[in-house]
Amino acid sequence: MVLAGVVGFGLLQLVPYGWKHSNPPVMAAPAWPSAESERLARAACYDCHSNETKWPAYSFVAPMSWLVRYDIDQGRDALNFSTGKGKKGHDAAEKVQDRSMPPDRYLRLHPDARLSAAERQILVDALNAMDEGGGGNRGPGRGGGD
């Protein structure tokens, strides 16, 4: 029984989805209204919503690699701070305000991304301000690399 489990786990590693861990170049960086709002966004949002993802060790092992890859693909498609792509700041602010972002499954493995009520409000205010023209893209930022 144990041997079958080990063999099954080994076979899961052969599924190619989730193997690619790339960070495309940063094409644009948002002009955060404050250093604190940028720090909070980097801690709570950037792993899935930028090209500056930090790939944890478990992201290299199936089946977790599949979930991580899927979440990052979906996150970058919805909003990417490194390209200016996706939802407007107001939409992102609503998700942060209603606590659907960052998602609970992310917070379980990344406790540093947990936002206090005050931090959540700082991030919401910053995202709304950026949407109203208080911020924009500053052009190329820090590069990603593979």
Side-chain angles (χ1 to χ4, degrees):
M1 187 63 140
V2 172
L3 180 59
V6 170
V7 169
F9 182 76
L11 290 174
L12 287 177
Q13 306 316 304
L14 299 177
V15 177
Y17 183 73
W19 287 359
K20 186 177 178 186
H21 293 107
S22 66
N23 280 339
V26 174
M27 304 305 289
W32 291 98
S34 69
E36 177 70 359
S37 61
E38 181 175 6
R39 182 191 69 75
L40 293 170
R42 286 185 177 280
C45 311
Y46 269 53
D47 275 348
C48 292
H49 295 286
S50 80
N51 293 347
E52 299 179 57
T53 302
K54 295 177 192 128
W55 298 95
Y58 61 81
S59 71
F60 293 89
V61 181
M64 281 299 291
S65 61
W66 306 341
L67 178 62
V68 171
R69 177 81 257 167
Y70 176 81
D71 283 349
I72 290 170
D73 287 347
Q74 295 296 307
R76 286 178 178 171
D77 190 50
L79 171 65
N80 190 331
F81 291 115
S82 298
T83 63
K85 175 184 179 183
K87 295 179 181 174
K88 299 286 186 190
H90 181 71
D91 295 331
E94 284 181 357
K95 297 243 182 238
V96 172
Q97 186 70 50
D98 72 14
R99 303 177 70 101
S100 61
M101 284 291 152
D104 287 337
R105 70 177 176 273
Y106 182 78
L107 294 173
R108 284 186 203 116
L109 295 171
H110 300 87
D112 56 318
R114 194 169 305 279
L115 300 169
S116 69
E119 290 171 330
R120 186 174 301 281
Q121 193 58 53
I122 290 168
L123 189 53
V124 166
D125 291 346
L127 290 164
N128 281 325
M130 291 164 61
D131 198 28
E132 294 166 5
N137 289 330
R138 295 189 296 232
R142 291 187 296 217
D146 286 326

